[in-house]
Amino acid sequence: MNRAEQKERTRQTLVATSRRLFASRGYAAVGLAEIVRESGVTKGALYHHFEGGKTALFRAVLEEVQQEVAARVVAAAEAAGDPWERLKAGCAAFVEASAGPEAQRVMLIDGPAVLGWAEWRAIDEATSASHLAEALAELVDGGVIPPQPVAPLTRLLSGAMNEAALWLAQSAGPADLPDTLAALSTLLEGLRRQEALSS
């Protein structure tokens, strides 16, 4: 293994170890000494890869989780038919993926608290929110939903789905996920029906 490969392996080990610890116990309960010990690296190696220490490491974990959720959203949307079905499938996939304990803890609870709202929002914008905005813009342009500014609609739907995912992660009812997905579908259908009623 050459030096570049060794460097990348060390980085991946640090991110994977941190991700497991942050997801299971939360950012505040995990110390740098534990990350270093569990990763089998020195503190110097950690700072070599992540100059900002624990916060920079958390940012890398958050970005990885966000990208995985976004990939699930894109895969679900691309498997659906027309633009409307792609929106519905992508939104359902986001709620399902975000409701898992790891995504919920890293993305929705610790993300805004550790990085601050503005930075957390920027990461979200670069992943799932950008896909949502693109899908909504396509539907507005195609006349499927009424003409309206896409930016506020994107934030309203994103906020609703994030809140639903937080609730799902803490709920225990076996029907909670299907009920949430049904409610989401009804909410989305309301956008389309409004256009039909006005025409």
Side-chain angles (χ1 to χ4, degrees):
M1 180 183 307
N2 65 35
R3 190 169 178 176
E5 290 171 335
Q6 180 62 44
K7 186 175 177 181
E8 182 55 27
R9 178 177 283 184
T10 299
R11 187 186 186 283
Q12 288 174 355
T13 299
L14 283 164
V15 171
T17 301
S18 300
R19 179 172 175 166
R20 177 175 50 79
L21 294 170
F22 292 151
S24 64
R25 301 214 317 273
Y27 178 85
V30 177
L32 268 183
E34 182 178 12
I35 293 169
V36 166
R37 184 177 65 251
E38 299 241 350
S39 298
V41 302
T42 64
K43 193 173 275 191
L46 185 148
Y47 280 107
H48 174 74
H49 290 276
F50 299 97
E51 288 181 28
K54 186 174 146 184
T55 302
L57 198 45
F58 177 81
R59 185 181 299 105
V61 169
L62 173 62
E63 287 171 349
E64 185 176 89
V65 172
Q66 287 270 32
Q67 288 164 1
E68 288 173 10
V69 169
R72 285 182 62 178
V73 168
V74 169
E78 288 179 349
D82 61 34
W84 179 253
E85 292 303 319
R86 287 197 296 270
L87 173 73
K88 289 181 66 178
C91 287
F94 176 84
V95 169
E96 290 179 294
S98 301
E102 181 181 68
Q104 181 245 359
R105 164 63 80 178
V106 172
M107 276 178 38
L108 303 176
I109 296 176
D110 285 345
V114 174
L115 300 180
W117 177 256
E119 187 173 352
W120 175 83
R121 191 77 191 121
I123 293 170
D124 186 54
E125 287 279 347
T127 52
S128 299
S130 68
H131 297 299
L132 178 59
E134 289 168 12
L136 290 170
E138 181 180 11
L139 292 167
V140 169
D141 291 344
V144 179
I145 61 177
Q148 59 191 289
V150 170
L153 183 58
T154 301
R155 280 149 187 82
L156 284 166
L157 287 176
S158 179
M161 290 187 288
N162 284 341
E163 183 62 29
L166 278 170
W167 177 71
L168 283 169
Q170 298 168 3
S171 68
D176 288 342
L177 178 58
D179 287 350
T180 299
L181 294 175
L184 175 61
S185 180
T186 301
L187 178 69
L188 293 172
E189 288 293 342
L191 293 172
R192 193 163 63 159
R193 272 198 302 272
Q194 185 181 9
E195 193 247 16
L197 289 172
S198 64
S199 56

